[in-house]
Amino acid sequence: MRLKIRTKIIASALLVVSLSLLLSGFLTYDYATGIIRDQSIKDSKTKLAQISSQLKRTQDQVVKTAEYIVSDEEIRALVYEAPSESFEENYFRKYTVQEKLKRFTALNDFILNALIVRPDGEMFSNNSGYEDYFADYLKQPWFERQKRERSGFSEPHPFFSLGGNRQAFSYVLKYRPIGMNETSDSYLVLDIAYTEIDEAFARSAGDFARIELLSGTGGVLYRYPASLSSERDAFTEAAASSADDYLEDRSRIALVNDSMAQGWRQVAVLSKTKLFAKINHIFYYYIAMIGIGFLFSLGIMLPIILNLTKPLSRLTNAMKRVSVGDLQTSVEIRSKDELEILGAGFNRMVADLKRNMETSIRDEEMKRKMQIDLLMAQINPHFVYNTLNTVIYLCHAERNRQAIEMTQALIAILQDTVKTGDGAVFATLDEERRIVDRYADIQKTRYPGKFELRWEIADGLGNAVIPRMLLQPLVENAIVHGLFPVDRDPGLIVVRARLDESRQLRLEVEDNGAGCRPGTENGNESRDGNGDGDRHGDGHGDRHGDGHEHPGLHKANPAANRERTRGIGLANVRERVRYHYGEPYGVSIGGAPGSGTIVAVRLPFRQP
């Protein structure tokens, strides 16, 4: 859709104002969100540190209690004393251990149970009468997993006590008593009320979109909200496994705190939507300001722009009239600025255009006539003369069919040569091949058995567009200046066409004749001529008894008397290629004296 310049100016001005407002709003919004985000992250890290501090105190108390129990000499002596045959002695031994364990658990009311398991499976606890329960209790998966560790906290699991079933997590310590010569491991299990973790998170968990407490083995000790799936999403998983304490994506921020013992880690997720809700009203405020700015700018700039663009509108209308052929148009602009100068220049341009068009029509007619004359002049007159002379001889020799074929070939070459318009400049490779084949037929009739022409054209290149009369001069040079100077029957000319690695068209004309002398790389010397090479003896060809010339029909030695004639030539081919295509296209010549010559032409690959 075409827009008027006044519309473009108005739109551009409004765009600049809008972008300015949007940019300022974005910078303000980004600055505010950055402050709120940094402060929220700082507050959240403080909350996580407080939770970690409370949990670490619980961890330290549990670990110290375990160390006190396993290092207590009285407990160690009673637990590892050999069982007595007396039931009363065994009972009082267990009772004494039970009372001592109660003293340790009484100091920490969150420790629900202390259980010592000897290598032979005998158990000692501060709670009596639970031997059968503890036997099944220690078969649960959480204990089987913890047995493989030296020490550590388990995942939450059910625990039965006098108060009923409740959630607990356990600290399991694997040890061997000092000085007892025990070769098997004993276990100390301290069951801790899960309320210790709940209470640590109760005050701050609601400030996060998600928060998890992970044990050193990767187990989940706490998750909020509890309704979330036990499967962690990819973002939370990446934060939990990251060595950094901060991770962010487009909608969330993850904070990690690992200041607790036993490898415990907190992973808390903040929602940016919730985090930035406080400044949403600022965003709506700037949207309103942008709308008001649009209306205000439009009201101020519209009258100014309309006044500035009126001369341009008149100039545009005048140009439209000129574009449809009305060269009597003029425009009057009196704005006393650059537009007035532009209007005066337009009037001069129209007058010059009218004058130049009249001149151009006359010149084009003259150019067309000169082009036809030039193309006709490019035909080698000696080649035409000798060909017609050969036709006369064939007619006298009553070889009418050969005379007809030779005349038809000559007519076809002349028709292709004198084309006008676009057809006079370019042709397809197939069309050029037909011209060369007809030319070769004429030369083979004049010089039978002297040479053979072979084509090697890659598939799909027959319709490649090349300059007209490009190959015929190269083949003619190969015959006259390559094969005729040497006594080599038959000579061979190979014309190739292919695409190189860069998808450029490469044409080659190769002969096995005399080769080229040093200095022919630039397209000069003997290979730049366009001779016909048919003269013998006195320069007028052989004469038979009938008095008619028949140059070289049965016997020819063109190498002895080559003539140089005007023609298209290698230099002309090179100039036409450079004129039509420029660098890096052109003509190159290779070979050595006595080993033949190859002329290569590099062109862009184009199709009609």
Side-chain angles (χ1 to χ4, degrees), residues 29 33 36 209 249-253 269-280:
Y29 182 82
T33 53
I36 293 177
D249 66 5
R250 296 181 61 182
S251 60
R252 295 167 295 181
I253 298 173
V269 178
L270 298 172
S271 171
K272 288 186 178 180
T273 302
K274 182 179 178 181
L275 188 63
F276 300 150
K278 301 176 183 179
I279 59 170
N280 282 341

Side-chain angles (χ1 to χ4, degrees), residues 43-319:
D43 294 342
S44 298
K45 286 184 176 181
T46 301
K47 293 174 183 178
L48 292 180
Q50 292 172 350
I51 295 173
S52 296
S53 177
Q54 184 175 344
L55 292 175
K56 191 173 185 303
R57 285 197 300 270
T58 301
Q59 287 180 308
D60 292 342
Q61 290 174 359
V62 171
V63 172
K64 287 181 180 179
T65 299
E67 291 175 353
Y68 290 151
I69 291 175
V70 299
S71 62
D72 189 284
E73 295 182 358
E74 293 185 27
I75 294 177
R76 184 170 63 246
L78 291 170
V79 169
Y80 293 97
E81 181 181 340
S84 173
E85 296 181 358
S86 170
F87 174 80
E88 291 182 356
E89 290 182 4
N90 289 333
Y91 172 80
F92 283 111
R93 181 168 63 91
K94 280 196 172 185
Y95 177 78
T96 304
V97 173
Q98 174 184 332
E99 292 301 316
K100 288 185 174 293
L101 291 176
K102 282 182 178 181
R103 285 197 304 232
F104 286 106
T105 58
L107 297 175
N108 302 285
D109 57 356
F110 54 83
I111 298 179
L112 304 177
N113 180 58
L115 176 65
I116 299 176
V117 183
R118 290 194 348 168
D120 59 2
E122 186 177 2
M123 292 175 285
F124 299 84
S125 171
N126 62 311
N127 295 306
S128 61
Y130 289 89
E131 285 78 6
D132 293 338
Y133 170 74
F134 288 143
D136 294 334
Y137 180 66
L138 297 180
K139 293 179 181 178
Q140 295 180 9
W142 65 267
F143 183 71
E144 294 298 326
R145 286 192 293 269
Q146 290 301 129
K147 284 172 64 176
R148 294 191 289 267
E149 305 293 333
R150 173 68 179 84
S151 64
F153 290 88
S154 72
E155 299 174 13
H157 56 80
F159 177 77
F160 179 78
S161 64
L162 293 177
N165 280 319
R166 57 193 304 184
Q167 279 291 99
F169 65 100
S170 302
Y171 176 73
V172 179
L173 175 64
K174 180 166 58 176
Y175 72 99
R176 294 180 184 178
I178 300 174
M180 303 299 293
N181 295 325
E182 289 287 341
T183 57
S184 299
D185 294 325
S186 299
Y187 297 93
L188 171 62
V189 181
L190 299 181
D191 297 312
I192 306 145
Y194 191 71
T195 54
E196 284 298 301
I197 295 179
D198 270 335
E199 291 174 358
F201 285 95
R203 183 175 300 176
S204 302
D207 297 333
F208 302 97
R210 179 178 187 137
I211 188 168
E212 291 182 355
L213 176 63
L214 308 177
S215 66
T217 58
V220 179
L221 298 174
Y222 179 84
R223 176 182 286 115
Y224 176 86
S227 58
L228 289 175
S229 170
S230 60
E231 295 293 332
R232 291 199 295 272
D233 58 23
F235 178 71
T236 308
E237 186 70 33
S241 58
S242 174
D244 299 326
D245 62 352
Y246 177 87
L247 188 66
E248 183 175 356
D249 66 5
R250 296 181 61 182
S251 60
R252 295 167 295 181
I253 298 173
L255 304 176
V256 180
N257 185 294
D258 56 359
S259 61
M260 295 165 285
Q262 300 292 322
W264 284 17
R265 291 167 65 87
Q266 289 185 85
V267 181
V269 178
L270 298 172
S271 171
K272 288 186 178 180
T273 302
K274 182 179 178 181
L275 188 63
F276 300 150
K278 301 176 183 179
I279 59 170
N280 282 341
H281 65 281
I282 299 177
F283 175 76
Y284 298 124
Y285 171 76
Y286 272 96
I287 292 294
M289 289 295 298
I290 291 172
I292 295 172
F294 270 122
L295 298 176
F296 182 76
S297 301
L298 184 62
I300 292 179
M301 292 185 298
L302 188 58
I304 300 174
I305 293 173
L306 290 176
N307 187 52
L308 290 174
T309 56
K310 281 181 180 179
L312 288 176
S313 298
R314 291 200 296 271
L315 185 60
T316 302
N317 293 330
M319 293 183 68

Side-chain angles (χ1 to χ4, degrees), residues 1 4 10 22 52 68 83 111 115 131 173 187 199 210 246 299 308 320 332 355 359 364 375 419 433 445 449 460 528:
M1 182 177 64
K4 293 184 177 180
I10 294 173
L22 286 172
S52 296
Y68 290 151
I111 298 179
L115 176 65
E131 285 78 6
L173 175 64
Y187 297 93
E199 291 174 358
R210 179 178 187 137
Y246 177 87
L308 290 174
K320 288 180 179 179
E332 184 178 357
R355 187 167 50 254
T359 304
E364 186 64 28
L375 289 172
K419 286 184 177 180
R433 179 174 180 172
T445 303
D528 197 23

